[in-house]
Amino acid sequence: MVDNEGKFAELVCALVAQIPAGRVMTYGQIAGLCGNARASRIVGGIAHYGPVDLPWHRVVNKRGGLASGYHGGRQAQKLHLEAEGVTVIGNNDNFFVNIDELIWAPNK
DNA sequence: CGTGTGACGCGAG
DNA sequence: CCTCGCGCCACAC
């Protein structure tokens, strides 16, 4: 298999695109699966600078908190998750999900 | 090609 | 759980 060619962004995009509805992944996990567990920030960078056609709203940080600056607003992100059956807790700009229950991983 | 920056992670308190 | 601080590496300009 070609594995990761160094196309970090490509892998991240592919992985995010594979996240099933009602599930979430952490930046660190995605980064790790892409080959660089320390590149967690890069994942966020790609999300912001990169394509907008991916379900970034399913990507959360390890605390289960939704990211900042989501394309459309954090509240939109909350709505997307709830629409997929995810329990989102929080107010205003602080949104959290049951990461321990909703965390997902590929090959599974 | 160099610089800056970031939608983060983790350890320690 | 929170905050503080450092590291991390790819992407945008």
Side-chain angles (χ1 to χ4, degrees):
Chain A
M1 203 37 143
V2 288
D3 294 310
N4 39 354
E5 295 111 57
K7 291 286 190 176
F8 199 87
E10 295 294 307
L11 288 170
V12 173
C13 291
L15 191 51
V16 173
Q18 289 164 70
I19 304 175
R23 278 294 189 287
V24 297
M25 287 190 73
T26 71
Y27 287 95
Q29 188 180 0
I30 295 169
L33 289 167
C34 287
N36 293 313
R38 280 98 183 183
S40 46
R41 317 171 65 138
I42 317 308
V43 181
I46 295 161
H48 185 78
Y49 290 99
V52 182
D53 52 292
L54 290 172
W56 296 110
H57 60 268
R58 293 180 190 149
V59 187
V60 298
N61 61 45
K62 270 216 171 157
R63 293 176 187 156
L66 304 189
S68 337
Y70 175 70
H71 184 77
R74 292 194 193 93
Q75 188 156 127
Q77 200 174 18
K78 177 201 171 211
L79 292 169
H80 289 309
L81 289 165
E82 290 187 311
E84 297 181 342
V86 177
T87 303
V88 181
I89 308 298
N91 287 290
N92 294 315
D93 294 310
N94 279 12
F95 295 119
F96 287 86
V97 301
N98 190 347
I99 185 72
D100 298 289
E101 292 288 310
L102 299 172
I103 186 66
W104 177 82
N107 189 43
K108 185 173 186 295

